[in-house]
Amino acid sequence: RQLFFQNGRCFAVAGNGLYEVFANHTSTYRGAVGNDSKPASICSNGSAGNQLFIVSGNHGYTYDLTADTLTQIADAEFPFPATMGAFIDGYFIALKGRTNLFQWSALEDGTSWNGLDIAQLSQSSDFIQSITAVHGLLYILGTQTSVIWGNTGGSSAFEPIQGSLGMQGSAAPWSAALLDNTVFWLGGNDVGDAVVYRFNGYSPERVSTHAVETAIGSYARIADAIGWAFQMDGHAFYCLYIPSAP
């Protein structure tokens, strides 16, 4: 359900467990996580905090990379249900499901959350589908729009970047993938969907062909699409897996 590399170590969420995966193709079970049959997200605050932040099954967890211990976040002010996480500027970000709200942790500490450290989309009213950290900025995909926030040093830790609001949202929360120094995703809004976009600067840019869009649009359901990316022989590939496709 998710794979993450950190300083030569590899971690994966599979089913209801967190595992560390080794080069010899063996793995070690590191603890239990929630499982809602949706992908999990994993990110890290590196050597400053020595933590992984895992969001799985609507709950948040921290994994201590020094002690090798997994703990569910017990702070009562952690947002629930949490649907995915990210890391930016020393803060873990948690997206609250079915809202246009996201919250950030204490600096370099995923175990501590303040209910006042929360932001709500102001330029649009649609729910947030996904969040991705790129270039020290938070790329936010809603159901109808996209927008980019950053740590501006203002009154709130995070504020919207002026001029970054785009009129293209996401048709599938887990379709967003980081590739070629930007974000690719399966787009959608009230006009239509089944088109793949990438950010060109702050603006959504169509990258799929009519043939690909016809194929994607032929499926009865695309909201469960999962995006992933890889590089081979100098070529970058964005891929979509659609579980409900025949």
Side-chain angles (χ1 to χ4, degrees):
R1 293 170 51 220
Q2 177 62 282
L3 191 68
F4 181 80
F5 295 90
Q6 172 69 25
N7 295 335
R9 301 176 70 179
C10 177
F11 294 88
V13 171
N16 61 352
L18 175 70
Y19 296 83
E20 184 168 0
V21 183
F22 303 99
N24 63 359
H25 306 293
T26 63
S27 63
T28 296
Y29 176 74
R30 295 299 190 186
V33 297
N35 182 5
D36 59 0
S37 300
K38 297 177 182 178
S41 65
I42 309 174
C43 54
S44 173
N45 55 15
S47 59
N50 290 307
Q51 294 173 330
L52 299 181
F53 174 47
I54 301 118
V55 177
S56 182
N58 295 322
H59 295 280
Y61 305 82
T62 57
Y63 183 77
D64 188 315
L65 290 163
T66 302
D68 284 326
T69 53
L70 177 70
T71 306
Q72 182 174 332
I73 296 173
D75 194 320
E77 298 189 25
F78 179 78
F80 180 86
T83 55
M84 64 181 65
F87 174 75
I88 180 172
D89 283 357
Y91 300 95
F92 288 126
I93 308 291
L95 173 59
K96 187 172 183 178
R98 299 293 297 170
T99 71
N100 57 3
L101 303 168
F102 64 90
Q103 189 172 335
W104 53 94
S105 70
L107 188 64
E108 308 294 2
D109 184 7
T111 66
S112 179
W113 298 75
N114 187 328
L116 298 178
D117 293 336
I118 194 166
Q120 183 173 28
L121 295 188
S122 53
Q123 301 110 316
S124 61
S125 59
D126 46 331
F127 289 163
I128 300 174
Q129 292 273 65
S130 65
I131 53 174
T132 307
V134 191
H135 308 303
L137 298 171
L138 191 66
Y139 284 62
I140 301 171
L141 297 173
T143 55
Q144 306 292 323
T145 63
S146 61
V147 68
I148 301 170
W149 285 50
N151 187 346
T152 62
S155 57
S156 174
F158 294 93
E159 297 176 328
I161 303 298
Q162 295 301 310
S164 68
L165 181 66
M167 297 297 105
Q168 186 57 245
S170 172
W174 293 99
S175 66
L178 180 59
L179 176 69
D180 199 24
N181 225 23
T182 189
V183 179
F184 287 68
W185 78 98
L186 182 59
N189 57 24
D190 57 358
V191 176
D193 52 25
V195 178
V196 176
Y197 291 88
R198 59 168 283 168
F199 277 106
N200 182 357
Y202 292 163
S203 302
E205 177 182 68
R206 174 176 172 259
V207 296
S208 53
T209 64
H210 290 305
V212 169
E213 292 155 8
T214 298
I216 295 173
S218 68
Y219 301 133
R221 175 178 168 81
I222 60 173
D224 58 352
I226 299 170
W228 57 285
F230 70 96
Q231 182 271 335
M232 184 173 64
D233 298 332
H235 298 279
F237 297 88
Y238 170 76
C239 307
L240 275 174
Y241 167 56
I242 303 178
S244 59

